[in-house]
Amino acid sequence: MKTRAVLELADVKRIAAAAEAEALANGWAVTIAIADEGGHLLWLQRLDGAPAVSAQIAPAKAHTAALGRRESKVYEDVINGGRVSFLSAPGLAGLLEGGVPILVEGQCIGAVGVSGVKSTEDAQIAKAGIAAL
């Protein structure tokens, strides 16, 4: 039997605070979602001025990154590369850049999804949050 890390509420709050700080430092109004390793939502934070739709997109990106154990950008690249049949993958809706898995010793323990600005900026915010761990 293996022992592995898990996200605790204190970890989630630390990630959220660092992601929020990155967004605010750049003047970006976004929604930040944090999911556990199964893609289940642990945290949702919509900053003032963030588009309403971002509250749907950010959790989907986090869900996809957690289940796939890789950045959601990988799936966007696959689709943009011509494999549009991947759009029918069951249970995956956040197939856009901005979902980043949280990896500890090679194991995925959750993911951060961000939506509201350019996808590269969404990913930047997610990575800043994860770096707080």
Side-chain angles (χ1 to χ4, degrees):
M1 192 176 294
K2 294 182 179 182
T3 303
R4 65 181 189 86
V6 295
L7 286 174
E8 294 182 335
L9 182 58
D11 302 320
V12 171
K13 288 180 177 180
R14 191 174 317 120
I15 293 166
E20 177 183 4
E22 180 71 15
L24 294 176
N26 288 287
W28 296 332
V30 298
T31 295
I32 302 159
I34 304 171
D36 67 11
E37 73 279 2
H40 305 286
L41 190 62
L42 298 173
W43 186 274
L44 183 68
Q45 180 176 359
R46 185 172 157 207
L47 302 181
D48 293 341
V53 71
S54 68
Q56 296 294 317
I57 297 171
K61 289 179 179 182
H63 181 264
T64 295
L67 290 182
R69 285 144 172 66
R70 59 185 52 113
E71 289 194 37
S72 55
K73 182 184 185 332
V74 170
Y75 302 112
E76 181 179 9
D77 290 345
V78 165
I79 294 162
N80 288 340
R83 190 167 179 212
V84 294
S85 62
F86 199 81
L87 289 168
S88 66
L92 297 179
L95 303 173
L96 304 165
E97 184 176 8
V100 181
I102 303 167
L103 302 173
V104 175
E105 296 179 5
Q107 298 293 314
C108 181
I109 64 167
V112 179
V114 178
S115 178
V117 287
K118 293 178 185 176
S119 60
T120 55
E121 296 165 348
D122 289 341
Q124 176 183 328
I125 295 165
K127 290 173 183 177
I130 294 167
L133 288 181

